[in-house]
Amino acid sequence: MDKQYVVGVDMGGTNTVFGIVDARGNVLSKSAVKTSTHMDVNLYIDDIYNELIKLIDDVGGISKIKGIGVGAPNGNFYTGNIEFAPNLNWKGVIPFAKLMSEKFSVPAVLTNDANAAAIGEMTYGAARGMKNFIMITLGTGVGSGIVIDGKLVYGHDGFAGELGHTCSVRYNGRLCGCGRTGCLEAYASANGVARTAREIMETSKEESLLRNIPAESITSKDVHDAAVQGDKVALEIFEYTGKILGEALSDFVAFSAPEAFILFGGLTKAGDYILKPIVEHMEKNLLALWQGKIKVLFSDLKEADAAVLGASALAWEI
Amino acid sequence: MDKQYVVGVDMGGTNTVFGIVDARGNVLSKSAVKTSTHMDVNLYIDDIYNELIKLIDDVGGISKIKGIGVGAPNGNFYTGNIEFAPNLNWKGVIPFAKLMSEKFSVPAVLTNDANAAAIGEMTYGAARGMKNFIMITLGTGVGSGIVIDGKLVYGHDGFAGELGHTCSVRYNGRLCGCGRTGCLEAYASANGVARTAREIMETSKEESLLRNIPAESITSKDVHDAAVQGDKVALEIFEYTGKILGEALSDFVAFSAPEAFILFGGLTKAGDYILKPIVEHMEKNLLALWQGKIKVLFSDLKEADAAVLGASALAWEI
C-alpha cells in the first residue's frame, strides 16, 4: 500500500495536537501547536504545517499520506467548514478542510471532536465491529457521536448528535453554557460534577475530604479519590451524576436502539463508582424490551491519543 | 411493469384494514377484518386471505402484486415477527411476515405502524424528497418513525424510534401505560390530552364548554371545537400539550437534526391551535444553530388511507 498513513488533527480551544497514524491505530509520532494565540487562521495553518511536515517527512513524505482528518469545535462534515465556534478566535465560517487540503496537497476532511471520537472507537477502539452505538464524551462539555448502520449521523445540516444539549434532563434545571436550562451538559460535564459537589456540600452537614478543596476547582478525579476512601459526599456525587446520565441514556435508547454506549473522558476515570449508577438508572428507565440488552462501555483508547486517533480515522474514509 | 401494485395491511388491536395501492399512492380498493376476535393467528390470516384475494383478483391476480407490507404493533422489520404485542391476542413471537408470504406466495415485510407511516410520508406524502425527517403519530399512543439519510432507523434490534416513550418530558411526571413516568405519550396521546383537560378543569374555576362533556371521554376534537369558540380552558389545554410536545421535538432535533417533523393523528385536527404552541416552544428550546430551520408539518395523506398507504410503501422496497 502506497498511501499507508493518515494524519489526525485534534483542534481544541487552547492547543491543537496532531499525529501520524497507521492502519492499525498506532500513533507513530505526535506534535502540537497553540490554537488560541492565532488571530489569523492562515498563520495558524502555517504553524501546523511547519511542525507537521517534519513528522510527514519522517515517514517518507506527503506521498505516503492518504489524507488529513480534523476534529474541530463546530466542525461541519458536509461543508468542511468550522461554523461560528464560540471558543475559537476565528469568527463566522472558516473553510478549514479546504485550507488544510490546499496547504498540504492531500484531501482533508473535518467533523466535530465527538463525531471524530465515535469514528475512532469504530475504527480502532471499543466499538470495533459495531454498527449501532452512541459515543458520549464527558469533558469540559458533553459531546456525542451517533452511529447508525455503521454510519455517523450528521443530520440534514451536518450538526446532528448534540446530546449534551438535550434539555429535558431536568425540567427548568441548571443553566447551561448554551443559555438554556436543564441540559445534560450542565450535569455530566466536568463543571457539572463540580457544581453537584458544591450543591451537595452546601446542603449536607456530612464530613468530606472534598471540603478541603476549593469548591470551584473540584475535579472528577478528586471526587474519585475521595470515593475510594469511602467518602459519603463523593459517593453521593457519583450517584446523582450517574442517575441523570443513566436516565438520559435510556431516552437515547428509545431513539436509535444502539447496541452500546461508549463513554470517554474525565468522568470515566471514576470507574465503577460512576458506571454502576449509570447502568442502574439506565436499566430502571428502559422500556422492558431493552432491559439487560444495552451495553455501557468505557473507551479503551489511550486518552492522550484518542482525539488524534479519532480525527485520523476520518481520513481512511476519504 | 408487470408487478404494478402493492398491498398494504394496517393491523390495529381491534380492526385490520388492507388495500391495493399503485405506484402513485392511489388506494384502488380496501377492505377490513376484525383483529380482536381471532385467538388463532392462522385463522386470522385465513380471514384476511378470503377478503384480500378478491381485491387482488380484481386487479388481475397475484402476479400483479410486488409484495405485501404490514404495519403491526411491535412489528420487527429485521425478523418479520410480531414480538410480545401487549394489545394483540397472540402472545410471544409470531412470524407474521413469513405466514403472510406463505399464504399469498408473494414476499411480505413488516414493521410497526409508526415506521410504516414514516415510509408512507416519504413515498407518497409530506416527506417526499426528504432524506432526514421524523414522523410522530399522535393517536391512542404516540409513535415515531425516524428517517436518516433516506433510510428508516431500526437500531441494532429492529425496535428503534420509540419517541413516545422518552421519559424525561417531565421528571417524575405522569404514569404512562408502559409502567414508567413522564413519557411523552402520557401527555401527547389522546388519553394524555383528556387527562390534561381534567387536570385543568379541576384546578381552575374557568367556565368551559368542556365541562358539559364527561371528563373521561373528552377528545382532541372536543377541545378543538371549544377552542374555535374562544374557550379559555380549551386554549390552555393546547398550550400545555403543545409546550410539552415542542420541548420534546427540540430534544429530538439535538439527536438527528431532521429537516422536518411530520405530525399525524387526532391532535393535528386542531390545526394552528396545536401547531402554534408546538412551534413556539420547540423554537424556544432549540440550540441557536437550529432556530428557524426545522419545519413542523402535518401529514397531508387522507387519514382513512394513511396507514394502508404507509404499510404498502414498505413493499416497494422488498
Side-chain angles (χ1 to χ4, degrees), chain A residues 65-83:
Chain A
I65 305 294
K66 187 168 189 316
I68 299 172
V70 182
N74 294 47
N76 185 323
F77 176 76
Y78 289 146
T79 61
N81 297 336
I82 296 172
E83 305 190 8

Side-chain angles (χ1 to χ4, degrees), chain A residues 162 168 171 180 243 251 285, chain B residues 168 171 180 243 251 254 285:
Chain A
E162 284 291 350
S168 50
Y171 183 63
R180 302 172 309 150
K243 181 176 195 302
D251 271 0
N285 284 278
Chain B
S168 50
Y171 183 63
R180 302 172 310 150
K243 181 176 197 302
D251 271 0
N285 283 276

Side-chain angles (χ1 to χ4, degrees), chain B residues 95-291:
Chain B
F96 193 77
K98 183 166 167 281
L99 294 172
M100 285 291 280
S101 177
E102 286 170 1
K103 187 76 185 179
F104 286 87
S105 302
V106 292
V109 64
L110 167 153
T111 190
N112 74 38
D113 34 5
N115 286 346
I119 293 175
E121 294 296 337
M122 188 162 53
T123 312
Y124 310 117
R128 257 174 306 180
M130 288 187 195
K131 295 269 184 203
N132 292 278
F133 72 95
I134 297 179
M135 175 93 204
I136 309 273
T137 60
L138 301 155
T140 313
V142 173
S144 66
I146 301 160
V147 172
I148 292 178
D149 281 343
K151 286 174 58 185
L152 207 91
V153 174
Y154 291 109
H156 88 285
D157 57 0
F159 290 116
E162 285 290 351
L163 300 186
H165 295 288
T166 49
C167 273
S168 50
V169 158
R170 285 294 179 273
Y171 183 63
N172 282 338
R174 288 183 185 169
L175 184 64
C176 179
C178 72
R180 302 172 310 150
T181 59
C183 292
L184 179 58
E185 180 165 300
Y187 297 86
S189 63
N191 255 330
V193 173
R195 188 162 162 187
T196 300
R198 285 197 300 278
E199 285 182 7
I200 290 176
M201 285 193 285
E202 275 166 21
T203 54
S204 120
K205 300 262 180 237
E206 191 75 46
E207 283 299 303
S208 172
L209 296 163
L210 297 169
R211 293 194 191 273
N212 304 323
I213 303 171
E216 64 283 357
S217 65
I218 290 174
T219 66
S220 296
K221 184 167 185 313
D222 298 326
V223 183
H224 173 251
D225 293 347
V228 169
Q229 301 191 46
D231 190 287
K232 282 193 186 154
V233 167
L235 294 170
E236 196 179 334
I237 293 166
F238 284 138
E239 168 66 21
Y240 181 83
T241 308
K243 181 176 197 302
I244 286 185
L245 198 44
E247 289 169 357
L249 297 190
S250 78
D251 271 0
F252 305 156
V253 172
F255 203 102
S256 69
E259 177 180 345
F261 290 97
I262 316 286
L263 309 183
F264 174 84
L267 202 52
T268 64
K269 295 210 188 77
D272 277 352
Y273 290 109
I274 188 69
L275 186 60
K276 280 189 180 165
I278 290 173
V279 171
E280 178 194 335
H281 292 285
M282 180 186 81
E283 289 291 339
K284 229 184 241 179
N285 283 276
L286 282 173
L287 278 179
L289 76 101
W290 284 306
Q291 283 164 14

